[in-house]
Coordinates of all heavy atoms in Angstrom, one line a residue:
Chain B
V61 N 121.2 62.9 214.8 CA 122.5 62.5 214.3 C 122.4 61.5 213.2 O 123.2 61.7 212.2 CB 123.3 61.8 215.5 CG1 124.5 61.2 215.0 CG2 123.6 62.9 216.6
F62 N 121.5 60.6 213.2 CA 121.4 59.6 212.1 C 121.2 60.3 210.8 O 121.8 59.9 209.8 CB 120.2 58.7 212.4 CG 120.0 57.6 211.4 CD1 120.7 56.4 211.6 CD2 119.3 57.8 210.3 CE1 120.6 55.4 210.7 CE2 119.2 56.7 209.4 CZ 119.8 55.6 209.6
V63 N 120.4 61.4 210.7 CA 120.1 62.1 209.5 C 121.4 62.7 209.0 O 121.5 62.9 207.7 CB 119.0 63.1 209.7 CG1 118.9 64.0 208.5 CG2 117.7 62.4 210.0
E64 N 122.3 63.2 209.8 CA 123.5 63.9 209.4 C 124.5 63.0 208.8 O 125.4 63.4 208.1 CB 124.1 64.6 210.6 CG 123.3 65.7 211.2 CD 123.3 67.0 210.4 OE1 124.2 67.1 209.6 OE2 122.4 67.8 210.5
L65 N 124.4 61.7 209.1 CA 125.5 60.8 208.6 C 125.5 60.6 207.1 O 124.5 60.7 206.4 CB 125.3 59.4 209.3 CG 125.5 59.4 210.8 CD1 125.2 58.0 211.4 CD2 126.8 59.9 211.3
E66 N 126.7 60.2 206.6 CA 126.8 59.8 205.2 C 126.1 58.5 205.0 O 125.9 57.7 206.0 CB 128.3 59.6 204.8 CG 129.2 60.8 205.1 CD 129.5 61.5 203.7 OE1 129.1 61.0 202.7 OE2 130.2 62.5 203.8
H67 N 125.7 58.2 203.8 CA 124.9 57.0 203.5 C 125.5 55.7 203.9 O 124.9 54.8 204.5 CB 124.5 56.9 202.0 CG 123.7 58.1 201.6 ND1 122.6 58.5 202.3 CD2 123.8 59.0 200.6 CE1 122.1 59.6 201.7 NE2 122.8 59.9 200.7
D68 N 126.8 55.6 203.7 CA 127.5 54.3 204.1 C 127.5 54.1 205.6 O 127.4 53.0 206.1 CB 128.8 54.1 203.4 CG 129.8 55.3 203.7 OD1 129.3 56.3 204.1 OD2 131.0 55.2 203.4
D69 N 127.7 55.2 206.3 CA 127.7 55.1 207.8 C 126.3 54.8 208.3 O 126.1 54.0 209.2 CB 128.2 56.4 208.4 CG 129.7 56.7 208.1 OD1 130.4 55.7 208.0 OD2 130.0 57.8 207.9
Q70 N 125.3 55.4 207.6 CA 123.9 55.0 208.0 C 123.6 53.5 207.8 O 123.1 52.9 208.7 CB 122.9 55.8 207.1 CG 122.8 57.3 207.4 CD 121.9 58.1 206.5 OE1 121.7 57.7 205.3 NE2 121.3 59.1 207.0
E71 N 124.1 53.0 206.7 CA 123.9 51.6 206.4 C 124.6 50.7 207.5 O 124.0 49.8 208.1 CB 124.4 51.2 205.0 CG 124.1 49.8 204.6 CD 124.6 49.5 203.2 OE1 124.9 50.4 202.5 OE2 124.8 48.3 203.0
R72 N 125.8 51.1 207.8 CA 126.6 50.3 208.8 C 125.8 50.3 210.2 O 125.7 49.3 210.9 CB 128.0 50.9 209.0 CG 129.0 50.0 208.3 CD 130.4 50.4 208.7 NE 130.7 51.8 208.4 CZ 131.5 52.6 209.0 NH1 132.2 52.1 210.0 NH2 131.7 53.8 208.6
L73 N 125.3 51.5 210.5 CA 124.7 51.7 211.8 C 123.4 50.9 211.8 O 123.1 50.2 212.8 CB 124.4 53.2 212.0 CG 124.1 53.7 213.4 CD1 125.3 53.3 214.3 CD2 124.0 55.2 213.4
I74 N 122.6 51.0 210.8 CA 121.3 50.2 210.7 C 121.6 48.8 211.0 O 120.8 48.1 211.7 CB 120.6 50.4 209.4 CG1 120.1 51.9 209.3 CG2 119.4 49.5 209.3 CD1 119.3 52.2 208.1
N75 N 122.6 48.2 210.4 CA 122.9 46.8 210.6 C 123.3 46.4 212.0 O 123.2 45.3 212.4 CB 124.1 46.4 209.6 CG 123.6 46.4 208.2 OD1 122.4 46.2 207.9 ND2 124.5 46.7 207.3
C76 N 123.6 47.4 212.8 CA 123.9 47.2 214.2 C 122.7 47.5 215.1 O 122.7 47.0 216.3 CB 125.1 48.0 214.7 SG 126.6 47.8 213.8
L77 N 121.7 48.2 214.6 CA 120.6 48.6 215.5 C 119.6 47.5 215.6 O 119.4 46.7 214.7 CB 119.9 49.9 214.9 CG 120.8 51.2 214.9 CD1 119.9 52.3 214.3 CD2 121.3 51.6 216.3
T78 N 118.9 47.6 216.8 CA 117.7 46.7 217.0 C 116.5 47.2 216.2 O 116.5 48.4 215.9 CB 117.3 46.6 218.4 OG1 116.9 47.9 218.9 CG2 118.5 46.1 219.3
D79 N 115.5 46.4 216.0 CA 114.3 46.9 215.4 C 113.7 48.1 216.1 O 113.2 49.0 215.5 CB 113.2 45.7 215.3 CG 113.6 44.8 214.2 OD1 114.5 45.1 213.4 OD2 112.8 43.8 214.0
K80 N 113.7 48.0 217.5 CA 113.1 49.1 218.3 C 113.9 50.4 218.0 O 113.3 51.4 217.9 CB 113.2 48.7 219.7 CG 112.2 49.4 220.6 CD 112.3 49.0 222.0 CE 111.9 50.2 222.9 NZ 112.5 50.2 224.2
E81 N 115.2 50.3 217.9 CA 116.0 51.5 217.6 C 115.7 52.1 216.3 O 115.6 53.3 216.1 CB 117.4 51.2 217.8 CG 117.9 51.1 219.3 CD 119.3 50.5 219.4 OE1 119.7 49.6 218.6 OE2 120.0 50.9 220.4
I82 N 115.5 51.2 215.3 CA 115.2 51.7 213.9 C 113.8 52.4 214.0 O 113.6 53.4 213.4 CB 115.2 50.5 212.9 CG1 116.6 50.0 212.8 CG2 114.6 51.0 211.6 CD1 116.7 48.8 211.8
K83 N 112.9 51.7 214.7 CA 111.5 52.3 214.8 C 111.6 53.7 215.4 O 110.9 54.6 214.9 CB 110.7 51.4 215.8 CG 109.4 51.0 215.2 CD 108.7 50.0 216.1 CE 108.2 48.8 215.4 NZ 108.0 47.6 216.2
N84 N 112.4 53.9 216.4 CA 112.6 55.2 217.0 C 113.1 56.2 216.0 O 112.5 57.3 215.8 CB 113.6 55.1 218.2 CG 114.1 56.5 218.6 OD1 113.2 57.4 218.7 ND2 115.4 56.7 218.8
V85 N 114.1 55.9 215.2 CA 114.6 56.8 214.2 C 113.5 57.1 213.2 O 113.3 58.3 212.9 CB 115.8 56.2 213.5 CG1 116.2 57.0 212.2 CG2 117.0 56.0 214.4
M86 N 112.8 56.2 212.7 CA 111.8 56.4 211.7 C 110.6 57.2 212.2 O 110.0 57.9 211.5 CB 111.3 55.1 211.1 CG 112.4 54.3 210.3 SD 113.3 55.3 209.1 CE 112.0 55.6 207.9
N87 N 110.4 57.1 213.5 CA 109.3 57.9 214.1 C 109.8 59.4 214.2 O 108.9 60.3 214.1 CB 109.0 57.4 215.6 CG 107.9 56.4 215.5 OD1 107.2 56.4 214.6 ND2 107.8 55.6 216.6
E88 N 111.0 59.6 214.4 CA 111.5 61.0 214.7 C 111.9 61.8 213.5 O 111.7 63.0 213.5 CB 112.8 60.9 215.6 CG 112.5 60.4 217.0 CD 111.8 61.4 217.9 OE1 112.0 62.6 217.7 OE2 111.1 61.0 218.9
I89 N 112.3 61.1 212.4 CA 112.9 61.9 211.3 C 111.7 62.4 210.4 O 110.6 61.8 210.4 CB 113.9 61.1 210.5 CG1 113.3 60.0 209.7 CG2 115.0 60.6 211.4 CD1 114.4 59.3 208.8
F90 N 112.0 63.5 209.7 CA 111.1 64.0 208.8 C 111.0 63.2 207.5 O 111.9 62.5 207.1 CB 111.4 65.5 208.4 CG 111.3 66.4 209.6 CD1 112.4 67.0 210.2 CD2 110.1 66.6 210.2 CE1 112.3 67.8 211.3 CE2 109.9 67.4 211.4 CZ 111.0 68.0 211.9
M91 N 109.8 63.4 206.8 CA 109.6 62.5 205.6 C 110.6 62.7 204.5 O 110.9 61.7 203.8 CB 108.2 62.8 205.1 CG 107.1 62.2 205.9 SD 107.3 60.4 206.1 CE 106.9 60.1 207.8
D92 N 111.1 63.9 204.3 CA 112.0 64.1 203.2 C 113.3 63.3 203.5 O 113.9 62.7 202.6 CB 112.3 65.6 202.9 CG 112.7 66.4 204.1 OD1 112.5 65.9 205.2 OD2 113.2 67.5 204.0
D93 N 113.7 63.3 204.8 CA 114.9 62.5 205.1 C 114.7 61.0 205.0 O 115.6 60.3 204.6 CB 115.4 62.9 206.6 CG 115.8 64.4 206.6 OD1 116.4 64.8 205.7 OD2 115.5 65.0 207.6
A94 N 113.5 60.6 205.4 CA 113.1 59.2 205.3 C 113.2 58.7 203.8 O 113.8 57.7 203.5 CB 111.7 58.9 205.8
V95 N 112.7 59.6 202.9 CA 112.7 59.2 201.5 C 114.2 59.1 201.0 O 114.6 58.2 200.3 CB 111.9 60.2 200.7 CG1 112.1 60.0 199.2 CG2 110.4 60.1 201.1
D96 N 115.0 60.1 201.4 CA 116.4 60.1 201.0 C 117.1 58.8 201.4 O 117.8 58.2 200.7 CB 117.2 61.2 201.7 CG 117.1 62.5 201.0 OD1 116.5 62.5 199.9 OD2 117.6 63.6 201.5
L97 N 116.8 58.4 202.7 CA 117.4 57.3 203.3 C 117.0 56.0 202.4 O 117.9 55.2 202.0 CB 116.9 57.1 204.7 CG 117.4 55.9 205.5 CD1 118.9 56.0 205.7 CD2 116.7 55.8 206.8
I98 N 115.7 55.9 202.2 CA 115.3 54.7 201.5 C 115.8 54.6 200.0 O 116.1 53.6 199.5 CB 113.7 54.7 201.5 CG1 113.3 54.2 202.9 CG2 113.1 53.8 200.5 CD1 111.9 54.3 203.3
E99 N 116.0 55.8 199.4 CA 116.5 55.8 198.1 C 117.9 55.4 198.0 O 118.4 54.9 197.0 CB 116.4 57.2 197.5 CG 115.0 57.5 196.9 CD 114.9 58.9 196.4 OE1 115.6 59.8 196.9 OE2 114.1 59.1 195.4
E100 N 118.7 55.6 199.1 CA 120.1 55.3 199.0 C 120.5 53.9 199.6 O 121.6 53.4 199.4 CB 120.9 56.4 199.8 CG 120.8 57.7 199.2 CD 121.4 57.8 197.8 OE1 122.3 57.0 197.5 OE2 121.0 58.7 197.0
M101 N 119.6 53.2 200.3 CA 119.9 52.0 201.0 C 119.7 50.8 200.0 O 118.8 50.8 199.2 CB 119.1 51.8 202.2 CG 119.4 52.8 203.4 SD 121.1 52.6 204.0 CE 121.7 54.2 203.6
P102 N 120.5 49.7 200.2 CA 120.3 48.5 199.5 C 119.0 47.9 199.9 O 118.5 48.1 201.0 CB 121.5 47.6 199.8 CG 122.0 48.2 201.1 CD 121.7 49.6 201.1
S103 N 118.4 47.0 199.0 CA 117.0 46.6 199.2 C 116.8 45.8 200.5 O 115.7 46.0 201.1 CB 116.5 45.8 198.0 OG 117.3 44.6 197.9
N104 N 117.7 45.0 201.0 CA 117.5 44.3 202.2 C 117.4 45.3 203.4 O 116.6 45.1 204.3 CB 118.6 43.3 202.5 CG 120.0 43.9 202.6 OD1 120.3 44.9 201.9 ND2 120.8 43.4 203.5

Side-chain angles (χ1 to χ4, degrees):
Chain B
V61 168
F62 185 86
V63 170
E64 294 283 340
L65 297 179
E66 301 254 0
H67 298 309
D68 53 347
D69 293 326
Q70 288 177 330
E71 189 182 337
R72 257 192 301 156
L73 200 53
I74 290 184
N75 289 331
C76 303
L77 293 181
T78 64
D79 281 357
K80 205 181 146 208
E81 283 167 326
I82 294 178
K83 233 174 228 158
N84 165 45
V85 168
M86 295 311 291
N87 269 340
E88 294 282 336
I89 70 178
F90 292 116
M91 281 304 139
D92 52 346
D93 295 322
V95 170
D96 274 357
L97 179 66
I98 282 168
E99 275 177 331
E100 295 297 332
M101 292 296 115
S103 62
N104 59 324

